[in-house]
Amino acid sequence: MSAASNFADRLAEAVERKGSPLCVGLDPMPARLPEELRDAEPVEAVERFCRGIVDAVADTAAAVKLQSAFFEALGSRGVAVFERVCDHAHAAGLLVVADVKRGDIATTAEAYAAAFLERRGEESALADVMTVSPYMGGDSVEPFLRVCRERGRGIFCLVKTSNPGSGDVQDLPLADGRPLWHHVAGLVDRWGADLVGTAGLSSVGAVVGATHAGVVEAARRLLPRAVLLILGVGAQGAQPEEVAPAFADHPAGGLVSISRPILYAHEVRGGDWREAAAAEAARFAAELRAVAPGVT
Amino acid sequence: MSAASNFADRLAEAVERKGSPLCVGLDPMPARLPEELRDAEPVEAVERFCRGIVDAVADTAAAVKLQSAFFEALGSRGVAVFERVCDHAHAAGLLVVADVKRGDIATTAEAYAAAFLERRGEESALADVMTVSPYMGGDSVEPFLRVCRERGRGIFCLVKTSNPGSGDVQDLPLADGRPLWHHVAGLVDRWGADLVGTAGLSSVGAVVGATHAGVVEAARRLLPRAVLLILGVGAQGAQPEEVAPAFADHPAGGLVSISRPILYAHEVRGGDWREAAAAEAARFAAELRAVAPGVT
């Protein structure tokens, strides 16, 4: 496999090229769209909004993360927008994260892997990497790993999520004293062992919330080769400096996803929504650059 | 809330009316479609197949379960087929289970609940009930519960799944000695406490695999009010008699989903694929009737 075809290597290259581990999350909420888009038909408005944001952040961000739920809430026409926004982001030079949190038994997981990570006829795959859930165990993740190996794709597995209720299951103390998520981190480390690229990072990463003190640092220790997809910075209250431990060994050791403060920057900054998003993305990129010393 | 608007009551009524707790799973795999559909364009072939199966089993089954992955693998046009098959199944008098295994932080989970459980303009909701994942905890499930309460919908939460690897996470021993899934069962029981209908069953059910010995019985004990969505009978090797404990207290205490042996019965039985599916569904319905004594 060539270096370029390993997802983690492509991510490391993108972070270096853009000079920032910023991922902009696309959570298009119809009620919060800019004034000028409110008169358009909702599905059309969401498409115009997402395309505008992609263009606005393309020079600053390494990746965009599409939150599937907001597109699915618009029905199959919304899913068609999801597809076109993925293609538009790729054309704009961005890596694409499909935030879909899928997981199912083997033959079904194969269909999910095909949906998001495999070529569609003449078109490339929708996404470079997708989020998956670990609850159903190793054989439910294996079909995704196979596509990662064969096609240079990646997954981010849920490990310790950013929401307050994440502890209900993820923090449960196991018989050996560790919280459950530490065990899941170990599984993720093992699943990604043969997907480490030349940059030293694995294409099997972990979703980690920066909203809980010490979690990013512990995840870095438990998952030395994983890219951490870090959520919770911005709208959920975590500060950029809390993500610093992710970058201890590699400038692409973390991918920090920030959604609503960038998307809806016009609500605070006023003016043109694209310019507001671009400015806010640049501000976050600079803050992240300051805490990820290897990024230049 | 009227009795009819509680999902579990509507399910109990459907099981009584059809005389069977059978749910037919729609897992349309293009490579296994009947010969006569192979020449059609794939998305169109899947739609014709699913509509044909719905019509073939409408008199026998209480519900159909659409496995979203197989529709999503066909892109947004496949998702449009998912929507039309849901509507067709409702029109045929079947309850609809959206097997999507979604789960996300609160505002995102709201969008998923809207996608599957809420009205779409003039159309009714896609599904009566959807599968959700518990990994992200109580606040990720609450938006679904709210829709269940307000609109008489239901969820089936993953508890102990049918795949061999389910033990990797679900069987982990907790500090108190119980396997993780027993704790998750307790959470599900609590989440469903205020959604119990007049039939004594909750609209918050649990996904349980009959492929593991003793699991259905343990789930029944841990979740006395939950409808158990039982998987693994048929293609995965579990026998109908293993599901009997689900029905100890109520004829609708279990909903047994059988997919591929019914869908692809023509591969074994030969002849018309609709007739083969109808015959195989009738055979399973009779077997289930024999182990669910309350069902007449």
Side-chain angles (χ1 to χ4, degrees), chain B:
Chain B
M1 189 182 287
S2 75
S5 75
N6 176 281
F7 163 71
D9 285 337
R10 288 191 289 129
L11 176 65
E13 185 276 324
V15 168
E16 193 183 338
R17 181 161 40 91
K18 299 298 179 70
S20 166
L22 175 66
C23 172
V24 174
L26 298 176
D27 294 11
M29 307 172 96
R32 293 182 71 181
L33 296 188
E35 202 62 36
E36 69 172 86
L37 296 175
R38 296 265 177 90
D39 292 338
E41 187 272 331
V43 179
E44 212 180 287
V46 163
E47 179 161 6
R48 283 167 56 194
F49 181 63
C50 290
R51 286 174 178 268
I53 295 289
V54 164
D55 294 338
V57 304
D59 291 338
T60 317
V64 286
K65 176 177 84 64
L66 286 81
Q67 173 45 262
S68 186
F70 295 103
F71 298 88
E72 293 184 59
L74 300 169
S76 55
R77 288 183 57 227
V79 176
V81 170
F82 181 97
E83 295 169 340
R84 290 195 293 271
V85 173
C86 286
D87 290 343
H88 185 69
H90 274 140
L94 289 156
L95 290 173
V96 173
V97 183
D99 193 0
V100 293
K101 301 185 175 70
R102 301 297 197 258
D104 216 302
I105 63 168
T107 50
T108 305
E110 274 173 28
Y112 277 131
F116 297 103
L117 301 181
E118 299 196 50
R119 286 188 72 81
R120 305 158 288 150
E122 296 301 295
E123 307 282 333
S124 63
L126 283 180
D128 298 283
V129 56
M130 66 187 281
T131 53
V132 305
S133 171
Y135 189 71
M136 294 179 66
D139 59 358
S140 76
V141 174
E142 177 53 37
F144 298 107
L145 300 179
R146 192 163 54 240
V147 175
C148 290
R149 286 188 286 262
E150 289 172 1
R151 294 171 195 259
R153 305 282 138 188
I155 56 172
F156 289 117
C157 184
L158 300 183
V159 172
K160 172 63 182 165
T161 58
S162 60
N163 56 313
S166 66
D168 291 348
V169 174
Q170 297 160 23
D171 291 353
L172 287 173
L174 298 180
D176 62 11
R178 295 176 306 157
L180 170 66
W181 76 266
H182 283 206
H183 183 85
V184 172
L187 293 175
V188 171
D189 185 58
R190 207 170 71 211
W191 295 336
D194 64 349
L195 276 154
V196 177
T198 54
L201 293 167
S202 174
S203 296
V204 177
V207 175
V208 167
T211 42
H212 318 286
V215 157
V216 173
E217 196 172 350
R220 179 73 299 154
R221 199 178 62 243
L222 295 164
L223 288 153
R225 299 167 296 200
V227 179
L228 306 180
L229 177 65
I230 300 174
L231 304 181
V233 176
Q236 293 179 67
Q239 296 303 309
E241 55 271 24
E242 293 175 30
V243 309
F247 305 99
D249 304 316
H250 198 288
L255 184 63
V256 182
S257 187
I258 299 173
S259 303
R260 296 167 204 186
I262 293 173
L263 296 187
Y264 307 114
H266 60 272
E267 294 174 357
V268 179
R269 289 178 174 255
D272 182 80
W273 55 276
R274 285 156 292 228
E275 286 171 22
E280 195 64 9
R283 194 180 69 75
F284 274 115
E287 286 198 30
L288 292 173
R289 208 172 289 130
V291 298
V295 185
T296 46

Side-chain angles (χ1 to χ4, degrees), chain A residues 30-40 49 266-267 271 273:
Chain A
R32 292 182 72 180
L33 295 189
E35 201 64 34
E36 69 172 86
L37 296 175
R38 297 264 178 90
D39 292 338
F49 180 65
H266 60 273
E267 294 174 355
W273 55 276

